[in-house]
Amino acid sequence: MFWQPVYRSQDLPAGRAVPIRIMSEDFTLYRGEAGPHPEAEGTEGRAHLVAFRCAHRGAQLSTGWVEGDDLRCFYHGWKYDGSGSCIEQPAEPEPFCQRIKIRGYPVQEYLGLIFAYLGEGEPPPMRRFPDFERGFVIEPCELEDYPCNYFNRLDNASDGAHVAWTHRESLNRIAAAAGVPPRPPTAEVRISEETEYGLRSGTMHNGKPAFQTHLHMPNVNQPPSGSRGSLADGRTLLVDGLYFRVPVDDENSVSFTVDCVHLTGAEADDYRERRRMAQDTKTAALGELSAEILAGNKVVGDMPGDLSPFQMFWIEDYVAQCGQGAIADRSHEHLGRSDSGVVSIRQLWARELKALAEGRPLKQWHTPAGLADMIQATNR
Ligand code: FES
Ligand SMILES: [Fe+2]
Protein backbone atom coordinates (compact mmCIF):
# COMPACT_ATOMS: atom_id res chain seq x y z
CA MET A 1 0.00 0.00 0.00
CA PHE A 2 3.08 2.25 0.00
CA TRP A 3 5.62 3.15 -2.64
CA GLN A 4 8.92 1.43 -1.84
CA PRO A 5 12.44 1.91 -3.19
CA VAL A 6 13.58 -1.15 -5.14
CA TYR A 7 16.91 -0.10 -6.70
CA ARG A 8 19.39 2.76 -6.89
CA SER A 9 18.96 4.83 -10.06
CA GLN A 10 22.72 4.94 -10.64
CA ASP A 11 22.94 1.12 -10.68
CA LEU A 12 20.57 0.68 -13.64
CA PRO A 13 22.07 1.92 -16.90
CA ALA A 14 19.91 2.63 -19.95
CA GLY A 15 19.15 -0.51 -21.97
CA ARG A 16 19.69 -2.90 -19.04
CA ALA A 17 17.30 -5.38 -17.34
CA VAL A 18 17.85 -6.98 -13.92
CA PRO A 19 15.98 -9.48 -11.74
CA ILE A 20 14.92 -8.15 -8.34
CA ARG A 21 13.21 -9.65 -5.31
CA ILE A 22 11.07 -7.50 -3.01
CA MET A 23 8.49 -8.64 -0.45
CA SER A 24 8.99 -12.31 -1.39
CA GLU A 25 8.15 -11.68 -5.05
CA ASP A 26 10.39 -11.67 -8.09
CA PHE A 27 10.21 -8.95 -10.73
CA THR A 28 12.03 -7.68 -13.79
CA LEU A 29 13.32 -4.14 -13.57
CA TYR A 30 14.66 -2.52 -16.71
CA ARG A 31 15.58 0.86 -18.06
CA GLY A 32 14.62 1.75 -21.62
CA GLU A 33 17.28 2.94 -23.98
CA ALA A 34 18.07 6.65 -23.87
CA GLY A 35 16.47 8.76 -26.67
CA PRO A 36 15.84 9.39 -29.51
CA HIS A 37 12.83 7.04 -29.41
CA PRO A 38 9.74 9.06 -28.43
CA GLU A 39 9.08 7.56 -24.97
CA ALA A 40 12.50 8.55 -23.75
CA GLU A 41 12.71 12.04 -25.27
CA GLY A 42 14.94 14.14 -23.04
CA THR A 43 15.58 11.35 -20.50
CA GLU A 44 18.38 8.91 -19.80
CA GLY A 45 15.92 6.07 -20.33
CA ARG A 46 12.80 5.39 -18.30
CA ALA A 47 12.69 2.70 -15.61
CA HIS A 48 9.98 0.01 -15.83
CA LEU A 49 8.99 -2.83 -13.56
CA VAL A 50 7.19 -5.89 -14.93
CA ALA A 51 6.62 -9.52 -13.95
CA PHE A 52 9.58 -11.87 -13.52
CA ARG A 53 8.61 -14.40 -16.19
CA CYS A 54 7.47 -14.33 -19.78
CA ALA A 55 3.82 -15.30 -20.34
CA HIS A 56 4.76 -17.68 -23.17
CA ARG A 57 6.74 -20.43 -21.44
CA GLY A 58 8.08 -18.73 -18.37
CA ALA A 59 11.59 -17.65 -19.34
CA GLN A 60 13.27 -15.16 -16.99
CA LEU A 61 12.65 -11.82 -18.66
CA SER A 62 15.71 -10.04 -17.24
CA THR A 63 17.87 -12.17 -19.58
CA GLY A 64 16.24 -10.66 -22.67
CA TRP A 65 16.95 -7.52 -24.68
CA VAL A 66 15.82 -3.95 -24.06
CA GLU A 67 14.66 -2.40 -27.34
CA GLY A 68 13.69 1.25 -27.14
CA ASP A 69 11.31 1.36 -24.18
CA ASP A 70 10.32 -2.30 -24.52
CA LEU A 71 11.68 -5.67 -23.41
CA ARG A 72 12.11 -8.73 -25.64
CA CYS A 73 12.18 -12.25 -24.21
CA PHE A 74 15.38 -14.28 -24.52
CA TYR A 75 13.60 -17.56 -25.35
CA HIS A 76 11.38 -16.95 -28.41
CA GLY A 77 11.45 -13.19 -28.74
CA TRP A 78 8.04 -12.12 -27.47
CA LYS A 79 8.15 -8.41 -26.81
CA TYR A 80 6.49 -6.43 -23.99
CA ASP A 81 6.03 -2.72 -23.44
CA GLY A 82 6.70 -1.02 -20.10
CA SER A 83 3.14 -1.73 -18.91
CA GLY A 84 3.54 -5.47 -19.54
CA SER A 85 1.39 -5.65 -22.69
CA CYS A 86 2.66 -8.11 -25.27
CA ILE A 87 3.33 -6.29 -28.53
CA GLU A 88 5.15 -8.88 -30.67
CA GLN A 89 5.17 -12.67 -31.12
CA PRO A 90 7.63 -13.05 -33.96
CA ALA A 91 7.31 -16.86 -34.38
CA GLU A 92 3.50 -16.83 -34.58
CA PRO A 93 1.90 -16.85 -38.04
CA GLU A 94 -1.22 -15.41 -36.39
CA PRO A 95 -0.07 -13.38 -33.36
CA PHE A 96 -2.46 -13.15 -30.40
CA CYS A 97 -0.65 -10.36 -28.57
CA GLN A 98 -3.84 -8.53 -27.59
CA ARG A 99 -4.72 -11.44 -25.27
CA ILE A 100 -1.35 -11.44 -23.49
CA LYS A 101 -0.41 -9.13 -20.63
CA ILE A 102 2.01 -9.67 -17.78
CA ARG A 103 1.84 -7.43 -14.71
CA GLY A 104 3.41 -3.99 -14.92
CA TYR A 105 3.89 -1.71 -11.94
CA PRO A 106 4.02 2.08 -11.56
CA VAL A 107 7.58 3.36 -11.17
CA GLN A 108 9.00 6.77 -10.21
CA GLU A 109 12.53 7.98 -9.54
CA TYR A 110 13.09 10.21 -6.53
CA LEU A 111 16.12 11.04 -4.35
CA GLY A 112 18.36 8.90 -6.56
CA LEU A 113 16.23 5.79 -6.01
CA ILE A 114 13.77 3.87 -8.17
CA PHE A 115 10.45 3.54 -6.34
CA ALA A 116 7.68 1.13 -7.30
CA TYR A 117 4.12 0.64 -6.20
CA LEU A 118 3.49 -3.10 -5.92
CA GLY A 119 0.01 -2.97 -4.40
CA GLU A 120 -3.43 -3.38 -5.87
CA GLY A 121 -5.40 -0.60 -7.51
CA GLU A 122 -4.46 3.02 -8.04
CA PRO A 123 -1.19 3.96 -6.37
CA PRO A 124 -1.34 6.54 -3.58
CA PRO A 125 0.65 9.76 -4.08
CA MET A 126 4.41 9.29 -3.63
CA ARG A 127 5.64 10.22 -0.17
CA ARG A 128 7.75 13.36 -0.45
CA PHE A 129 10.43 14.46 1.99
CA PRO A 130 10.61 18.26 1.76
CA ASP A 131 13.81 18.49 3.84
CA PHE A 132 15.52 16.52 1.07
CA GLU A 133 14.31 18.87 -1.66
CA ARG A 134 16.21 21.97 -0.57
CA GLY A 135 18.77 21.97 -3.37
CA PHE A 136 21.55 20.28 -1.42
CA VAL A 137 23.55 17.27 -2.66
CA ILE A 138 21.46 14.08 -2.69
CA GLU A 139 23.44 10.83 -2.77
CA PRO A 140 22.22 7.28 -2.15
CA CYS A 141 24.65 5.24 -0.04
CA GLU A 142 25.83 1.68 -0.40
CA LEU A 143 22.98 -0.78 0.12
CA GLU A 144 22.66 -2.71 3.34
CA ASP A 145 21.66 -6.28 2.51
CA TYR A 146 21.04 -7.99 5.84
CA PRO A 147 20.04 -11.65 6.29
CA CYS A 148 17.25 -10.79 8.73
CA ASN A 149 13.61 -9.81 8.59
CA TYR A 150 13.04 -6.11 7.92
CA PHE A 151 11.26 -5.75 11.25
CA ASN A 152 14.56 -6.34 13.10
CA ARG A 153 15.73 -3.23 11.29
CA LEU A 154 12.56 -1.27 11.84
CA ASP A 155 12.45 -2.04 15.57
CA ASN A 156 15.80 -0.33 15.77
CA ALA A 157 14.47 2.96 14.34
CA SER A 158 13.43 4.39 17.70
CA ASP A 159 15.88 2.43 19.82
CA GLY A 160 18.18 5.20 20.99
CA ALA A 161 19.50 3.06 23.84
CA HIS A 162 21.41 0.76 21.47
CA VAL A 163 23.73 3.47 20.14
CA ALA A 164 26.10 3.67 23.10
CA TRP A 165 26.68 -0.10 23.09
CA THR A 166 26.20 -1.39 19.56
CA HIS A 167 28.22 1.53 18.19
CA ARG A 168 30.66 1.69 21.09
CA GLU A 169 33.67 0.82 18.95
CA SER A 170 32.70 3.42 16.31
CA LEU A 171 32.10 6.12 18.91
CA ASN A 172 35.47 5.35 20.52
CA ARG A 173 37.20 5.60 17.14
CA ILE A 174 35.42 8.86 16.28
CA ALA A 175 36.33 10.33 19.66
CA ALA A 176 39.95 9.20 19.32
CA ALA A 177 40.19 10.79 15.85
CA ALA A 178 38.83 14.04 17.27
CA GLY A 179 41.19 13.86 20.27
CA VAL A 180 38.38 13.91 22.84
CA PRO A 181 37.41 11.33 25.46
CA PRO A 182 34.40 9.14 24.55
CA ARG A 183 31.14 10.10 26.30
CA PRO A 184 30.16 7.48 28.88
CA PRO A 185 26.73 5.92 28.30
CA THR A 186 24.04 6.93 30.78
CA ALA A 187 20.48 5.85 31.60
CA GLU A 188 18.02 8.37 30.19
CA VAL A 189 14.27 8.83 30.19
CA ARG A 190 13.21 7.83 26.67
CA ILE A 191 10.12 9.28 25.04
CA SER A 192 8.14 8.83 21.82
CA GLU A 193 5.16 10.64 20.40
CA GLU A 194 2.93 9.93 17.43
CA THR A 195 2.92 12.57 14.71
CA GLU A 196 1.32 13.24 11.31
CA TYR A 197 4.22 11.31 9.68
CA GLY A 198 4.74 8.52 12.19
CA LEU A 199 6.70 8.77 15.39
CA ARG A 200 9.44 10.86 16.88
CA SER A 201 11.59 9.59 19.68
CA GLY A 202 14.30 10.92 21.94
CA THR A 203 15.07 11.66 25.55
CA MET A 204 14.07 14.20 28.16
CA HIS A 205 16.75 16.86 28.48
CA ASN A 206 16.52 19.48 31.25
CA GLY A 207 12.82 18.76 31.55
CA LYS A 208 12.18 19.20 27.82
CA PRO A 209 11.87 16.60 25.04
CA ALA A 210 14.97 16.34 22.85
CA PHE A 211 14.04 14.36 19.73
CA GLN A 212 16.70 12.27 18.05
CA THR A 213 14.91 10.21 15.44
CA HIS A 214 11.86 10.29 13.23
CA LEU A 215 10.06 7.23 11.92
CA HIS A 216 8.12 7.97 8.76
CA MET A 217 5.42 5.30 8.73
CA PRO A 218 5.61 2.61 7.76
CA ASN A 219 9.33 1.90 7.30
CA VAL A 220 11.55 4.95 6.91
CA ASN A 221 13.95 6.01 9.63
CA GLN A 222 15.50 9.48 9.88
CA PRO A 223 18.28 9.68 12.46
CA PRO A 224 19.95 12.91 13.57
CA SER A 225 22.02 14.84 11.09
CA GLY A 226 25.69 14.25 11.42
CA SER A 227 28.90 13.92 9.53
CA ARG A 228 29.66 10.88 7.37
CA GLY A 229 33.20 12.06 8.01
CA SER A 230 35.05 9.78 5.61
CA LEU A 231 36.03 12.31 3.00
CA ALA A 232 39.52 13.41 2.37
CA ASP A 233 39.40 17.07 3.34
CA GLY A 234 38.40 16.43 6.94
CA ARG A 235 35.65 19.06 6.95
CA THR A 236 32.67 18.35 9.10
CA LEU A 237 29.84 17.92 6.67
CA LEU A 238 26.26 18.23 7.80
CA VAL A 239 24.38 15.22 6.44
CA ASP A 240 20.69 14.34 6.83
CA GLY A 241 19.87 10.69 6.20
CA LEU A 242 16.78 8.70 5.31
CA TYR A 243 16.83 4.92 5.74
CA PHE A 244 14.20 2.89 3.88
CA ARG A 245 13.94 -0.61 5.43
CA VAL A 246 12.54 -2.80 2.67
CA PRO A 247 11.63 -6.50 2.98
CA VAL A 248 13.29 -8.74 0.38
CA ASP A 249 11.62 -11.84 1.81
CA ASP A 250 10.88 -13.12 5.31
CA GLU A 251 14.54 -13.68 6.16
CA ASN A 252 16.25 -10.92 4.19
CA SER A 253 15.98 -7.16 4.01
CA VAL A 254 17.65 -4.29 2.21
CA SER A 255 18.13 -0.72 3.40
CA PHE A 256 18.26 2.13 0.95
CA THR A 257 19.99 5.10 2.56
CA VAL A 258 19.82 8.59 1.08
CA ASP A 259 22.27 11.25 2.22
CA CYS A 260 21.43 14.92 1.90
CA VAL A 261 24.72 16.82 2.24
CA HIS A 262 24.42 20.52 3.01
CA LEU A 263 26.53 21.86 0.16
CA THR A 264 25.65 23.87 -2.95
CA GLY A 265 27.36 25.25 -6.06
CA ALA A 266 31.04 24.53 -6.68
CA GLU A 267 31.44 22.92 -3.26
CA ALA A 268 28.65 20.49 -4.14
CA ASP A 269 30.28 19.56 -7.48
CA ASP A 270 33.61 19.04 -5.76
CA TYR A 271 32.00 16.86 -3.10
CA ARG A 272 30.14 14.71 -5.66
CA GLU A 273 33.37 14.11 -7.52
CA ARG A 274 35.26 13.05 -4.39
CA ARG A 275 32.40 10.84 -3.31
CA ARG A 276 32.33 9.13 -6.72
CA MET A 277 36.04 8.36 -6.38
CA ALA A 278 35.57 6.94 -2.88
CA GLN A 279 32.64 4.77 -3.82
CA ASP A 280 34.27 1.45 -4.50
CA THR A 281 33.40 -0.21 -1.20
CA LYS A 282 32.20 -3.74 -1.55
CA THR A 283 29.29 -4.10 0.82
CA ALA A 284 29.57 -7.86 0.28
CA ALA A 285 32.89 -7.57 2.14
CA LEU A 286 31.14 -5.79 5.03
CA GLY A 287 28.61 -8.62 5.15
CA GLU A 288 31.44 -11.16 5.29
CA LEU A 289 33.19 -9.29 8.10
CA SER A 290 29.91 -9.12 10.02
CA ALA A 291 29.28 -12.83 9.51
CA GLU A 292 32.80 -13.56 10.84
CA ILE A 293 31.89 -11.73 14.05
CA LEU A 294 28.64 -13.66 14.46
CA ALA A 295 30.56 -16.90 13.81
CA GLY A 296 32.95 -16.02 16.65
CA ASN A 297 36.05 -15.73 14.46
CA LYS A 298 36.43 -11.98 14.99
CA VAL A 299 35.21 -9.20 17.29
CA VAL A 300 34.12 -5.69 16.31
CA GLY A 301 37.42 -4.29 17.62
CA ASP A 302 39.23 -6.35 14.92
CA MET A 303 37.55 -4.43 12.10
CA PRO A 304 40.00 -2.62 9.79
CA GLY A 305 40.91 0.88 10.91
CA ASP A 306 40.25 2.41 7.51
CA LEU A 307 36.52 1.67 7.51
CA SER A 308 34.39 4.83 7.47
CA PRO A 309 31.94 5.51 10.31
CA PHE A 310 29.12 4.56 7.89
CA GLN A 311 30.78 1.20 7.21
CA MET A 312 31.47 0.58 10.91
CA PHE A 313 27.84 1.36 11.78
CA TRP A 314 26.83 -0.97 8.92
CA ILE A 315 28.74 -3.84 10.54
CA GLU A 316 27.73 -3.05 14.11
CA ASP A 317 24.02 -2.87 13.29
CA TYR A 318 24.31 -6.10 11.27
CA VAL A 319 25.83 -7.89 14.25
CA ALA A 320 23.12 -6.63 16.63
CA GLN A 321 20.10 -7.07 14.37
CA CYS A 322 20.97 -10.24 12.44
CA GLY A 323 22.21 -11.67 15.75
CA GLN A 324 18.61 -11.52 17.00
CA GLY A 325 17.81 -14.27 14.50
CA ALA A 326 16.52 -13.89 10.94
CA ILE A 327 12.99 -13.95 12.35
CA ALA A 328 13.33 -12.87 15.96
CA ASP A 329 11.22 -14.63 18.58
CA ARG A 330 9.72 -11.63 20.38
CA SER A 331 7.70 -13.73 22.79
CA HIS A 332 10.88 -14.25 24.81
CA GLU A 333 11.82 -10.58 25.14
CA HIS A 334 11.89 -8.60 28.39
CA LEU A 335 11.22 -4.98 27.53
CA GLY A 336 12.05 -2.12 29.89
CA ARG A 337 11.47 1.64 30.04
CA SER A 338 14.38 2.23 27.65
CA ASP A 339 12.44 0.29 24.99
CA SER A 340 9.58 2.79 24.86
CA GLY A 341 10.43 3.69 21.25
CA VAL A 342 10.39 0.04 20.20
CA VAL A 343 7.04 -0.46 21.94
CA SER A 344 5.60 2.64 20.26
CA ILE A 345 6.58 1.44 16.77
CA ARG A 346 5.04 -1.99 17.38
CA GLN A 347 1.85 -0.42 18.70
CA LEU A 348 1.52 1.84 15.66
CA TRP A 349 2.07 -1.09 13.30
CA ALA A 350 -0.32 -3.32 15.22
CA ARG A 351 -3.02 -0.64 15.17
CA GLU A 352 -2.66 -0.02 11.43
CA LEU A 353 -2.50 -3.73 10.54
CA LYS A 354 -5.61 -4.40 12.62
CA ALA A 355 -7.46 -1.63 10.77
CA LEU A 356 -6.30 -3.13 7.47
CA ALA A 357 -7.45 -6.62 8.47
CA GLU A 358 -10.84 -5.28 9.52
CA GLY A 359 -11.26 -3.21 6.37
CA ARG A 360 -11.14 0.14 8.20
CA PRO A 361 -9.30 3.13 6.69
CA LEU A 362 -5.63 3.53 7.56
CA LYS A 363 -4.11 6.75 8.83
CA GLN A 364 -2.86 8.92 5.97
CA TRP A 365 0.71 9.89 6.77
CA HIS A 366 2.31 13.13 5.70
CA THR A 367 5.91 14.31 6.11
CA PRO A 368 6.21 18.09 6.58
CA ALA A 369 9.32 20.27 6.16
CA GLY A 370 11.58 21.11 9.08
CA LEU A 371 12.05 17.68 10.67
CA ALA A 372 15.79 17.52 9.97
CA ASP A 373 16.28 20.85 11.71
CA MET A 374 14.26 19.67 14.70
CA ILE A 375 16.66 16.81 15.43
CA GLN A 376 19.78 18.77 14.46
CA ALA A 377 18.96 21.52 16.92
CA THR A 378 18.86 19.14 19.86
CA ASN A 379 22.18 17.56 18.95
CA ARG A 380 24.34 20.59 18.27
S1 FES B 1 9.26 -18.00 -23.12
FE1 FES B 1 9.33 -15.93 -23.66
S2 FES B 1 9.04 -15.93 -25.78
FE2 FES B 1 8.90 -18.04 -25.25
FE1 LIG C 1 22.54 1.40 14.98
Side-chain angles (χ1 to χ4, degrees), residues 8 38 40 49-50 55 57 68 94 109 117 124-125 131 148 153 166 184 188 208 210 227 260 311 313 322 336 355:
R8 295 198 303 183
L49 188 71
V50 296
R57 282 166 52 203
E94 290 180 36
E109 296 193 55
Y117 178 69
D131 289 351
C148 69
R153 313 233 52 202
T166 302
E188 286 169 304
K208 286 209 206 92
S227 169
C260 170
Q311 293 167 327
F313 271 60
C322 298

Side-chain angles (χ1 to χ4, degrees), residues 23-35:
M23 293 190 245
S24 300
E25 256 190 271
D26 296 308
F27 304 91
T28 308
L29 176 69
Y30 73 93
R31 190 185 289 289
E33 293 176 296

Side-chain angles (χ1 to χ4, degrees), residues 56-377:
H56 180 218
R57 282 166 52 203
Q60 182 177 321
L61 278 173
S62 63
T63 56
W65 296 271
V66 175
E67 297 180 2
D69 217 25
D70 308 320
L71 183 61
R72 189 184 291 284
C73 179
F74 186 78
Y75 208 177
H76 315 91
W78 285 20
K79 186 163 152 175
Y80 299 90
D81 68 14
S83 74
S85 294
C86 184
I87 52 173
E88 265 184 43
Q89 294 168 315
E92 286 301 316
E94 290 180 36
F96 47 97
C97 299
Q98 68 290 351
R99 287 200 274 121
I100 305 296
K101 185 162 178 6
I102 55 174
R103 276 200 74 173
Y105 301 84
V107 167
Q108 287 190 47
E109 296 193 55
Y110 179 54
L111 303 178
L113 301 174
I114 301 176
F115 285 78
Y117 178 69
L118 305 174
E120 304 294 328
E122 276 301 298
M126 267 279 282
R127 187 74 159 275
R128 314 284 303 201
F129 296 89
D131 289 351
F132 290 72
E133 297 182 9
R134 294 188 284 179
F136 294 132
V137 175
I138 296 291
E139 291 274 349
C141 299
E142 301 118 87
L143 302 187
E144 294 177 293
D145 284 300
Y146 280 17
C148 69
N149 186 273
Y150 76 101
F151 216 93
N152 292 21
R153 313 233 52 202
L154 198 59
D155 245 7
N156 178 255
S158 298
D159 179 5
H162 89 285
V163 176
W165 300 103
T166 302
H167 302 300
R168 188 184 196 181
E169 176 69 18
S170 285
L171 298 177
N172 286 346
R173 288 185 187 190
I174 291 167
V180 297
R183 260 214 325 232
T186 49
E188 286 169 304
V189 178
R190 303 213 160 261
I191 47 161
S192 291
E193 64 184 36
E194 186 175 343
T195 64
E196 62 189 301
Y197 52 87
L199 197 71
R200 55 179 167 238
S201 306
T203 54
M204 291 303 286
H205 199 68
N206 298 332
K208 286 209 206 92
F211 292 108
Q212 283 142 6
T213 65
H214 301 290
L215 169 75
H216 304 269
M217 277 291 280
N219 63 334
V220 188
N221 182 20
Q222 183 175 358
S225 310
S227 169
R228 288 278 179 272
S230 61
L231 291 155
D233 71 354
R235 268 184 307 179
T236 301
L237 295 166
L238 193 56
V239 184
D240 304 320
L242 280 179
Y243 296 68
F244 296 81
R245 313 297 196 188
V246 180
V248 172
D249 54 30
D250 286 351
E251 301 197 343
N252 292 277
S253 57
V254 56
S255 282
F256 294 90
T257 305
V258 175
D259 277 353
C260 170
V261 187
H262 292 220
L263 294 174
T264 54
E267 276 193 322
D269 295 340
D270 184 46
Y271 173 85
R272 279 195 199 92
E273 186 53 32
R274 275 183 292 125
R275 181 143 167 163
R276 206 137 293 143
M277 313 255 295
Q279 232 166 34
D280 53 4
T281 329
K282 302 280 175 288
T283 51
L286 300 181
E288 273 163 39
L289 285 169
S290 312
E292 286 281 288
I293 296 170
L294 285 177
N297 300 326
K298 283 190 163 55
V299 295
V300 172
D302 297 333
M303 294 300 103
D306 59 355
L307 294 181
S308 68
F310 179 82
Q311 293 167 327
M312 280 297 291
F313 271 60
W314 197 112
I315 290 171
E316 290 161 336
D317 281 322
Y318 180 118
V319 169
Q321 294 165 32
C322 298
Q324 291 179 294
I327 300 179
D329 181 353
R330 299 197 170 80
S331 65
H332 291 146
E333 290 180 337
H334 298 87
L335 301 182
R337 295 283 299 276
S338 63
D339 297 303
S340 68
V342 176
V343 172
S344 302
I345 290 182
R346 293 179 183 179
Q347 285 173 343
L348 265 191
W349 266 69
R351 183 190 79 198
E352 293 296 300
L353 286 172
K354 190 157 185 279
L356 182 65
E358 293 171 359
R360 286 181 285 116
L362 304 189
K363 178 164 170 177
Q364 295 303 302
W365 308 99
H366 168 76
T367 295
L371 299 183
D373 300 324
M374 171 187 272
I375 44 179
Q376 273 170 31

